[in-house]
Each structure stands twice: as structure tokens, then as C-alpha cells.
CSV table of all heavy atoms in Angstrom, one decimal:
chain,number,residue,atom,x,y,z
A,1025,ALA,N,-58.3,-41.7,130.8
A,1025,ALA,CA,-58.3,-41.5,132.3
A,1025,ALA,C,-57.5,-42.6,133.0
A,1025,ALA,O,-56.9,-42.4,134.0
A,1025,ALA,CB,-59.7,-41.5,132.8
A,1026,ILE,N,-57.5,-43.8,132.4
A,1026,ILE,CA,-56.8,-44.9,133.0
A,1026,ILE,C,-55.4,-45.0,132.5
A,1026,ILE,O,-54.6,-46.0,132.9
A,1026,ILE,CB,-57.6,-46.3,132.9
A,1026,ILE,CG1,-57.6,-46.6,131.4
A,1026,ILE,CG2,-58.9,-46.2,133.5
A,1026,ILE,CD1,-58.3,-48.0,131.2
A,1027,GLY,N,-55.0,-44.1,131.6
A,1027,GLY,CA,-53.6,-44.1,131.1
A,1027,GLY,C,-53.3,-44.9,129.9
A,1027,GLY,O,-52.1,-45.3,129.6
A,1028,SER,N,-54.4,-45.4,129.2
A,1028,SER,CA,-54.1,-46.3,128.1
A,1028,SER,C,-54.1,-45.6,126.7
A,1028,SER,O,-54.1,-46.2,125.6
A,1028,SER,CB,-55.1,-47.4,128.0
A,1028,SER,OG,-56.4,-46.9,127.8
A,1029,GLY,N,-54.1,-44.2,126.8
A,1029,GLY,CA,-53.9,-43.5,125.5
A,1029,GLY,C,-55.2,-43.1,124.8
A,1029,GLY,O,-55.2,-42.0,124.1
A,1030,GLY,N,-56.3,-43.8,124.9
A,1030,GLY,CA,-57.5,-43.4,124.2
A,1030,GLY,C,-57.6,-43.6,122.8
A,1030,GLY,O,-58.5,-43.1,122.1
A,1031,GLY,N,-56.6,-44.4,122.2
A,1031,GLY,CA,-56.7,-44.8,120.7
A,1031,GLY,C,-56.0,-43.7,119.9
A,1031,GLY,O,-55.5,-42.7,120.4
A,1032,GLY,N,-56.1,-43.9,118.6
A,1032,GLY,CA,-55.4,-43.0,117.7
A,1032,GLY,C,-56.1,-41.6,117.5
A,1032,GLY,O,-57.3,-41.5,118.0
A,1033,SER,N,-55.4,-40.8,116.8
A,1033,SER,CA,-56.1,-39.4,116.5
A,1033,SER,C,-57.1,-39.6,115.4
A,1033,SER,O,-57.3,-40.6,114.8
A,1033,SER,CB,-55.0,-38.5,116.0
A,1033,SER,OG,-54.5,-38.9,114.7
A,1034,SER,N,-57.9,-38.5,115.2
A,1034,SER,CA,-58.9,-38.5,114.2
A,1034,SER,C,-58.3,-38.7,112.8
A,1034,SER,O,-58.8,-39.3,111.9
A,1034,SER,CB,-59.6,-37.1,114.2
A,1034,SER,OG,-58.8,-36.1,114.0
A,1035,ASN,N,-57.0,-38.2,112.6
A,1035,ASN,CA,-56.3,-38.4,111.3
A,1035,ASN,C,-56.0,-39.9,111.1
A,1035,ASN,O,-56.3,-40.4,110.0
A,1035,ASN,CB,-55.0,-37.6,111.4
A,1035,ASN,CG,-55.2,-36.1,111.3
A,1035,ASN,OD1,-56.3,-35.6,110.9
A,1035,ASN,ND2,-54.2,-35.4,111.8
A,1036,GLN,N,-55.5,-40.5,112.1
A,1036,GLN,CA,-55.2,-41.9,112.0
A,1036,GLN,C,-56.5,-42.8,111.7
A,1036,GLN,O,-56.5,-43.7,110.8
A,1036,GLN,CB,-54.5,-42.4,113.3
A,1036,GLN,CG,-54.1,-44.0,113.3
A,1036,GLN,CD,-53.6,-44.4,114.5
A,1036,GLN,OE1,-53.1,-43.6,115.3
A,1036,GLN,NE2,-53.5,-45.7,114.7
A,1037,THR,N,-57.5,-42.4,112.4
A,1037,THR,CA,-58.8,-43.2,112.2
A,1037,THR,C,-59.2,-43.0,110.8
A,1037,THR,O,-59.7,-44.0,110.2
A,1037,THR,CB,-59.9,-42.7,113.2
A,1037,THR,OG1,-59.4,-42.9,114.6
A,1037,THR,CG2,-61.1,-43.4,113.0
A,1038,GLN,N,-59.3,-41.7,110.3
A,1038,GLN,CA,-59.8,-41.5,109.0
A,1038,GLN,C,-58.9,-42.2,107.9
A,1038,GLN,O,-59.4,-42.7,106.9
A,1038,GLN,CB,-59.7,-39.9,108.7
A,1038,GLN,CG,-60.4,-39.5,107.4
A,1038,GLN,CD,-61.9,-39.6,107.4
A,1038,GLN,OE1,-62.4,-40.7,107.4
A,1038,GLN,NE2,-62.6,-38.6,107.5
A,1039,GLN,N,-57.6,-42.2,108.1
A,1039,GLN,CA,-56.7,-42.8,107.2
A,1039,GLN,C,-56.9,-44.3,107.2
A,1039,GLN,O,-56.8,-44.9,106.1
A,1039,GLN,CB,-55.2,-42.4,107.5
A,1039,GLN,CG,-54.9,-41.0,107.2
A,1039,GLN,CD,-53.6,-40.4,107.7
A,1039,GLN,OE1,-52.8,-41.3,108.3
A,1039,GLN,NE2,-53.3,-39.2,107.6
A,1040,GLU,N,-57.0,-44.9,108.3
A,1040,GLU,CA,-57.3,-46.3,108.4
A,1040,GLU,C,-58.6,-46.7,107.6
A,1040,GLU,O,-58.7,-47.7,106.9
A,1040,GLU,CB,-57.3,-46.8,109.8
A,1040,GLU,CG,-55.9,-46.7,110.5
A,1040,GLU,CD,-56.0,-47.1,112.0
A,1040,GLU,OE1,-57.2,-47.2,112.5
A,1040,GLU,OE2,-55.0,-47.3,112.6
A,1041,PHE,N,-59.7,-45.9,107.8
A,1041,PHE,CA,-60.9,-46.1,107.2
A,1041,PHE,C,-60.7,-46.0,105.7
A,1041,PHE,O,-61.2,-46.7,104.9
A,1041,PHE,CB,-61.9,-45.1,107.7
A,1041,PHE,CG,-63.2,-45.0,106.9
A,1041,PHE,CD1,-64.1,-46.0,107.0
A,1041,PHE,CD2,-63.4,-43.9,106.0
A,1041,PHE,CE1,-65.3,-45.9,106.1
A,1041,PHE,CE2,-64.6,-43.8,105.2
A,1041,PHE,CZ,-65.5,-44.8,105.4
A,1042,THR,N,-60.0,-44.9,105.2
A,1042,THR,CA,-59.8,-44.7,103.8
A,1042,THR,C,-59.0,-45.9,103.2
A,1042,THR,O,-59.4,-46.3,102.1
A,1042,THR,CB,-59.1,-43.4,103.5
A,1042,THR,OG1,-59.8,-42.3,104.2
A,1042,THR,CG2,-58.9,-43.1,102.1
A,1043,ALA,N,-58.0,-46.4,103.9
A,1043,ALA,CA,-57.1,-47.4,103.4
A,1043,ALA,C,-58.0,-48.7,103.2
A,1043,ALA,O,-57.9,-49.4,102.1
A,1043,ALA,CB,-56.0,-47.7,104.3
A,1044,LYS,N,-59.0,-49.0,104.1
A,1044,LYS,CA,-59.8,-50.1,104.0
A,1044,LYS,C,-60.7,-50.0,102.7
A,1044,LYS,O,-61.0,-51.0,102.0
A,1044,LYS,CB,-60.6,-50.3,105.3
A,1044,LYS,CG,-59.7,-50.8,106.4
A,1044,LYS,CD,-60.5,-51.0,107.7
A,1044,LYS,CE,-59.7,-51.4,108.9
A,1044,LYS,NZ,-60.5,-51.5,110.1
A,1045,LEU,N,-61.2,-48.8,102.5
A,1045,LEU,CA,-62.1,-48.6,101.4
A,1045,LEU,C,-61.3,-48.8,100.1
A,1045,LEU,O,-61.8,-49.4,99.0
A,1045,LEU,CB,-62.8,-47.2,101.4
A,1045,LEU,CG,-64.0,-47.0,102.3
A,1045,LEU,CD1,-64.5,-45.5,102.1
A,1045,LEU,CD2,-65.0,-48.0,102.0
A,1046,LEU,N,-60.1,-48.3,100.0
A,1046,LEU,CA,-59.3,-48.3,98.8
A,1046,LEU,C,-58.9,-49.8,98.5
A,1046,LEU,O,-58.7,-50.1,97.3
A,1046,LEU,CB,-58.0,-47.5,99.0
A,1046,LEU,CG,-58.2,-46.0,99.0
A,1046,LEU,CD1,-56.9,-45.4,99.3
A,1046,LEU,CD2,-58.7,-45.6,97.6
A,1047,GLU,N,-59.0,-50.7,99.4
A,1047,GLU,CA,-58.6,-52.1,99.2
A,1047,GLU,C,-59.8,-52.8,98.5
A,1047,GLU,O,-59.6,-53.9,98.0
A,1047,GLU,CB,-58.3,-52.8,100.5
A,1047,GLU,CG,-57.0,-52.3,101.1
A,1047,GLU,CD,-56.7,-52.9,102.5
A,1047,GLU,OE1,-57.6,-53.6,103.0
A,1047,GLU,OE2,-55.6,-52.6,103.1
A,1048,LEU,N,-61.0,-52.3,98.6
A,1048,LEU,CA,-62.2,-52.8,98.0
A,1048,LEU,C,-62.3,-52.6,96.5
A,1048,LEU,O,-61.5,-51.7,96.0
A,1048,LEU,CB,-63.5,-52.3,98.6
A,1048,LEU,CG,-63.5,-52.6,100.2
A,1048,LEU,CD1,-64.8,-51.7,100.6
A,1048,LEU,CD2,-63.7,-54.1,100.4
A,1049,PRO,N,-63.1,-53.5,95.7
A,1049,PRO,CA,-63.2,-53.2,94.3
A,1049,PRO,C,-63.9,-51.7,94.1
A,1049,PRO,O,-64.7,-51.4,94.9
A,1049,PRO,CB,-64.2,-54.3,93.9
A,1049,PRO,CG,-64.0,-55.4,94.9
A,1049,PRO,CD,-63.7,-54.7,96.2
A,1050,PHE,N,-63.3,-51.0,93.2
A,1050,PHE,CA,-63.8,-49.6,92.9
A,1050,PHE,C,-63.5,-48.8,94.2
A,1050,PHE,O,-64.2,-47.9,94.4
A,1050,PHE,CB,-65.2,-49.6,92.5
A,1050,PHE,CG,-65.6,-50.5,91.4
A,1050,PHE,CD1,-66.3,-51.7,91.6
A,1050,PHE,CD2,-65.3,-50.2,90.1
A,1050,PHE,CE1,-66.6,-52.5,90.6
A,1050,PHE,CE2,-65.5,-51.0,89.0
A,1050,PHE,CZ,-66.3,-52.1,89.2
A,1051,GLY,N,-62.4,-49.1,94.9
A,1051,GLY,CA,-62.1,-48.4,96.1
A,1051,GLY,C,-62.0,-46.9,96.0
A,1051,GLY,O,-62.6,-46.2,96.8
A,1052,PRO,N,-61.3,-46.4,95.1
A,1052,PRO,CA,-61.2,-44.9,94.9
A,1052,PRO,C,-62.6,-44.2,94.7
A,1052,PRO,O,-62.8,-43.2,95.3
A,1052,PRO,CB,-60.3,-44.7,93.7
A,1052,PRO,CG,-59.4,-45.9,93.6
A,1052,PRO,CD,-60.3,-47.0,94.1
A,1053,ALA,N,-63.4,-44.9,93.9
A,1053,ALA,CA,-64.8,-44.4,93.7
A,1053,ALA,C,-65.6,-44.4,95.1
A,1053,ALA,O,-66.3,-43.5,95.3
A,1053,ALA,CB,-65.5,-45.2,92.7
A,1054,LEU,N,-65.3,-45.4,95.8
A,1054,LEU,CA,-66.1,-45.6,97.1
A,1054,LEU,C,-65.6,-44.4,98.1
A,1054,LEU,O,-66.4,-43.8,98.8
A,1054,LEU,CB,-65.9,-46.9,97.8
A,1054,LEU,CG,-66.4,-48.1,97.1
A,1054,LEU,CD1,-66.0,-49.4,97.8
A,1054,LEU,CD2,-68.0,-48.0,97.0
A,1055,VAL,N,-64.3,-44.1,98.0
A,1055,VAL,CA,-63.8,-43.1,98.9
A,1055,VAL,C,-64.4,-41.7,98.5
A,1055,VAL,O,-64.8,-40.9,99.4
A,1055,VAL,CB,-62.2,-43.0,98.9
A,1055,VAL,CG1,-61.7,-41.7,99.6
A,1055,VAL,CG2,-61.7,-44.2,99.4
A,1056,VAL,N,-64.5,-41.5,97.2
A,1056,VAL,CA,-65.1,-40.2,96.7
A,1056,VAL,C,-66.6,-40.1,97.1
A,1056,VAL,O,-67.0,-39.1,97.5
A,1056,VAL,CB,-65.0,-40.1,95.2
A,1056,VAL,CG1,-65.7,-38.9,94.7
A,1056,VAL,CG2,-63.4,-40.0,94.8
A,1057,ILE,N,-67.2,-41.3,97.0
A,1057,ILE,CA,-68.7,-41.3,97.5
A,1057,ILE,C,-68.7,-41.0,99.0
A,1057,ILE,O,-69.6,-40.2,99.4
A,1057,ILE,CB,-69.3,-42.7,97.2
A,1057,ILE,CG1,-69.4,-42.9,95.7
A,1057,ILE,CG2,-70.7,-42.8,97.9
A,1057,ILE,CD1,-69.9,-44.2,95.3
């Protein structure tokens, strides 16, 4: 409403979340969980 965009799309948010999980120990397993 104030013209600042409202943040990223749901795809971007999900991909950022997934990337952070993958950086952790056993990251791929955490993503599958």
C-alpha cells in the first residue's frame, strides 16, 4: 500500500528458507523432513 513492494514472492521465500536449511549439518535430510 505504501509502495515498498511487500517483500519477495512465495517462491523466493521458500527458496531462501530451503537454502538456509541446506547449509546446516544434514541439510538435505532436514529439507526432506
Side-chain angles (χ1 to χ4, degrees):
I1026 63 176
S1028 64
S1033 68
S1034 59
N1035 292 338
Q1036 181 181 343
T1037 300
Q1038 187 73 290
Q1039 289 170 3
E1040 290 174 351
F1041 167 76
T1042 305
K1044 290 178 181 178
L1045 279 184
L1046 288 172
E1047 291 173 357
L1048 298 174
F1050 307 105
L1054 292 176
V1055 173
V1056 173
I1057 291 172

